[in-house]
Amino acid sequence: MKQVKLIIIGGFLGAGKTTAVISLADQIRKSGKTAAVITNDQTAGLVDTELVRQSGFPTQEVSKGCFCCNFHDFARCLHQLRAEYDPDIILAEPVGSCTDLLSTIMKPIKNKEAGSFYPAPLSVLVDPQRLDTLGPGGSNPFRRPEVSYLFLKQLEEADLIVLNKIDTLAPSQLTRYLSLLHQNFPTAKVLPISAKTGAGLDGWLAELDQVPSFDKPSPAIAYDTYAAAEAALGWLNATAALTAPNGFKLDSFLVSLGENIRTALEKREEEIAHLKLCAIGSEDLSKLSCVGMHSPVSLDRKTDETCNNAYLIMNIRAACAPDKLLSISNEILDKTASEQNISLSARKTDCFAPSYPNPVFRM
Ligand SMILES: Nc1nc2c(ncn2[C@@H]2O[C@H](COP(=O)(O)OP(=O)(O)OP(=O)(O)O)[C@@H](O)[C@H]2O)c(=O)[nH]1
Ligand SMILES: [Mg+2]
């Protein structure tokens, strides 16, 4: 069996990793090669896994914590995909609050799994809006300084900094962000792309054919600050069955729910990192994201479906205490469902702050 290329795509919550993974996997498929995907979260019930599966790629989910703290689980998923599908390439999306991937994933893969897998250069995606306050005299990209620390550490270890969402930028903005990244992270290659339109994907794939240099030292990471950043983020994964005898529109329910959660968090001055909602009907799904208080809610995947029954997945990451996040999301879900005469059942909710990162290997 052949050695499989492993492409790790890191970056902060909402940077566009899942969108990029699906676009790259599509591009790989078009080139006649085969791709599989591993998604990752602190707990089960992932919008991302649903989206990747819908795109038709073999998918595994590591859902009991990040790849680095569950390296053996990650390796088991890699081997399972290789044994079942024999893909040319596996794309893996670590949790968006993870850093130190070079020491805790890339080097362990190279040293312990060399017979089966080889890592491509480490890509870290970035949303240009998060860069607005970077640079001399700039303030922190996040209200909480420890979250800003985590965000900058992610970029610092990248072989490839992938400036995503360039479809939203004017040429002068693009030039400014590129030079900001070159100045702040001189050892990384900076690649402008749009995961949405496909711009720049060929160039990125060409860079991913290079062999990463493992000679460069991993950035020093203050684990206590990294842990404080993760702990500052409330994490909510919830699922529920939705029923309405008179029917309801998936898109409009999702938009109302997203807007209402965003407004409720804003009113309480709680900062969204990424709010993701997905409603799955009998034929199609509707999916919405909001990637920060600077951003509106965006219905990324629309369906005109009116249905009587659907399945809802909510993934919210916000700089908010978990108990507060839980009560806000429950209250808003109840209110929005009742306004649209939808009843809720089989509700499951996990809400917590990620625990101290404790990688299996650190090389
Ligand atoms: N305009 C534009 N939007 C994009 C692009 N890539 C992603 N997005 C949007 O950004 C939002 C977040 O995208 P995701 O792919 O879910 O981001 P992520 O990094 O996987 O987020 P997490 O899994 O929470 O860490 C969604 O609304 C996407 O549609 C892009 O190239 N252009
Ligand atoms: Mg994602």
Side-chain angles (χ1 to χ4, degrees), residues 117-346:
F117 304 98
Y118 65 98
L122 175 63
S123 299
V124 176
L125 253 72
V126 62
D127 181 332
Q129 294 222 39
R130 295 276 184 210
L131 294 173
D132 271 338
T133 54
L134 205 65
S139 56
N140 284 325
F142 297 86
R143 283 182 207 151
R144 307 279 290 252
E146 59 273 39
V147 180
S148 299
Y149 174 85
L150 167 67
F151 170 80
L152 295 172
K153 284 292 166 189
Q154 290 179 324
L155 292 168
E156 207 181 306
E157 69 171 339
D159 293 311
L160 308 174
I161 294 181
V162 183
L163 178 67
N164 190 24
K165 311 191 186 183
I166 60 165
D167 56 294
T168 63
L169 301 178
S172 61
Q173 289 176 302
L174 176 58
T175 309
R176 189 168 71 80
Y177 288 126
L178 288 175
S179 92
L180 205 65
L181 287 169
H182 284 301
Q183 276 166 25
N184 281 276
F185 306 100
T187 61
K189 251 188 198 162
V190 181
L191 305 173
I193 70 140
S194 166
K196 208 169 205 167
T197 66
L201 291 189
D202 284 336
W204 184 13
L205 276 171
E207 290 295 340
L208 289 167
D209 274 340
Q210 306 298 312
V211 178
S213 156
F214 284 99
D215 295 338
K216 73 172 188 186
S218 307
I221 310 260
Y223 262 63
D224 286 347
T225 312
Y226 171 18
E230 288 212 288
L233 294 166
W235 214 266
L236 180 137
N237 282 12
T239 54
L242 310 175
T243 311
N246 296 326
F248 68 102
K249 283 214 168 276
L250 287 186
D251 288 352
S252 43
F253 169 70
L254 221 56
V255 170
S256 304
L257 183 59
E259 297 278 11
N260 290 344
I261 294 174
R262 188 187 190 287
T263 308
L265 287 169
E266 196 168 26
K267 225 194 254 168
R268 293 163 178 86
E269 298 196 345
E270 305 290 359
E271 192 176 16
I272 289 178
H274 195 181
L275 157 70
K276 279 181 282 194
L277 305 176
C278 175
I280 305 163
S282 50
E283 285 154 25
D284 204 353
L285 65 78
S286 180
K287 185 255 168 181
L288 170 147
S289 263
C290 172
V291 293
M293 289 316 190
H294 56 273
S295 255
V297 300
S298 141
L299 194 62
D300 300 324
R301 178 104 173 242
K302 297 179 191 162
T303 161
D304 269 338
E305 193 177 343
T306 299
C307 43
N308 301 107
N309 297 292
Y311 180 70
L312 174 70
I313 309 177
M314 298 168 66
N315 295 164
I316 311 175
R317 288 79 179 93
C320 177
D323 53 344
K324 219 171 178 184
L325 184 59
L326 179 64
S327 80
I328 293 170
S329 75
N330 275 337
E331 180 194 322
I332 301 296
L333 175 58
D334 286 336
K335 178 173 160 280
T336 312
S338 130
E339 279 167 2
Q340 302 198 16
N341 298 316
I342 298 170
S343 57
L344 299 161
S345 58

Side-chain angles (χ1 to χ4, degrees), residues 18 48 93 276:
T18 307
D48 289 355
E93 176 186 342
K276 279 181 282 194

Side-chain angles (χ1 to χ4, degrees), residues 6-10 67 74 90 92 94 101 105-106 120-124:
L6 174 64
I7 299 178
I8 310 264
I9 300 185
F67 292 152
F74 177 51
I90 297 179
L101 305 177
I105 301 178
M106 300 272 289
L122 175 63
S123 299
V124 176

Side-chain angles (χ1 to χ4, degrees), residues 104-123:
T104 62
I105 301 178
M106 300 272 289
K107 288 182 181 172
I109 289 289
K110 179 177 175 276
N111 293 333
K112 303 205 165 280
E113 297 289 343
S116 310
F117 304 98
Y118 65 98
L122 175 63
S123 299

